Amino acid sequence: MCGDHQKALGEIGEALDGVDSTAFETACTLIANAGNVLLYGCGREGVQMRGLAMRLYHLGCRVGMVADMNAPPLGPGDLFVVSAGPGELSTVTALMKVAKRDGAQVLFLTATRMAQAAALADHVVVIPAQTMANDQEEPQSILPMGSVYEGALFMLFEMMILRLRDKMDITPDQMRLRHTNME
């Protein structure tokens, strides 16, 4: 490697350092207490959300991704977890409105502190990182476009799974039993 990975890891670590610990803990509590959990993110954020969905399944949660054939309906007692790093994405806002209309809670992840969509959420976790919305501002990340936010999402989700595993009293062996054997 060319050595730039240390700078990239530092940028991702800096973004994670900026996540409010109370917001993190509240997000974990919302997930642990939810009936159905449905997730959504656009583009590469959606890839990170799929990773979170898989790990939540390994924890024993009833979880799905928007638009997948097995996506459960959402209603009271359920949770919609959605990411919009830049803060405003029309699909995200529309889906948040549907979840709220039908009685589900909304957990909104974003890099944009003053995002208008945050007003639709029951809880917001801000991950202060570069996204495509601000990737041309100074200072610029060594990573392209929204990669700092996406990398921070991955690590944040892994830390959430560790916290949820403890909170839900799930062992690593119990998680492993839920891993697919169809690989």
Side-chain angles (χ1 to χ4, degrees):
M1 284 197 269
C2 61
D4 290 337
H5 68 282
Q6 292 297 337
K7 184 168 191 240
L9 290 171
E11 291 174 352
I12 291 169
E14 192 175 309
L16 291 168
D17 288 343
V19 174
D20 179 78
S21 60
T22 302
F24 173 87
E25 191 63 36
T26 300
C28 291
T29 299
L30 285 171
I31 292 169
N33 294 336
N36 291 317
V37 180
L38 199 57
L39 298 96
Y40 182 79
C42 297
R44 289 167 44 107
E45 291 177 42
V47 173
Q48 302 308 325
M49 299 300 278
R50 283 192 177 282
L52 176 60
M54 177 189 285
R55 288 289 185 242
L56 291 174
Y57 176 79
H58 293 155
L59 286 173
C61 296
R62 293 187 316 258
V63 62
M65 291 291 300
V66 168
D68 281 357
M69 292 175 67
N70 63 341
L74 291 182
D78 296 332
L79 181 66
F80 181 47
V81 183
V82 62
S83 174
E88 299 300 321
L89 297 167
S90 59
T91 306
V92 168
T93 302
L95 291 169
M96 290 173 76
K97 288 178 181 178
V98 171
K100 293 301 291 181
R101 178 197 72 202
D102 291 347
Q105 289 189 298
V106 175
L107 170 57
F108 181 58
L109 305 156
T110 186
T112 308
R113 290 194 186 280
M114 303 306 290
Q116 288 181 0
L120 298 169
D122 295 283
H123 184 64
V124 179
V125 176
V126 176
I127 302 129
Q130 178 182 289
T131 69
M132 281 189 60
N134 62 0
D135 71 330
Q136 296 177 333
E137 297 173 8
E138 294 296 329
Q140 290 182 340
S141 169
I142 191 143
L143 296 172
M145 302 186 291
S147 292
V148 175
Y149 180 75
E150 295 148 3
L153 274 182
F154 171 76
M155 286 304 302
L156 178 72
F157 292 163
E158 292 299 294
M159 298 304 100
M160 289 173 84
I161 294 302
L162 291 177
R163 180 65 186 108
L164 285 163
R165 188 178 69 188
D166 292 343
K167 194 180 225 13
M168 298 167 70
D169 198 27
I170 304 292
T171 68
D173 287 339
Q174 288 171 312
M175 288 180 69
R176 185 169 294 284
L177 288 172
R178 292 187 189 98
H179 191 282
T180 186
N181 62 350
M182 300 300 290
E183 293 184 322

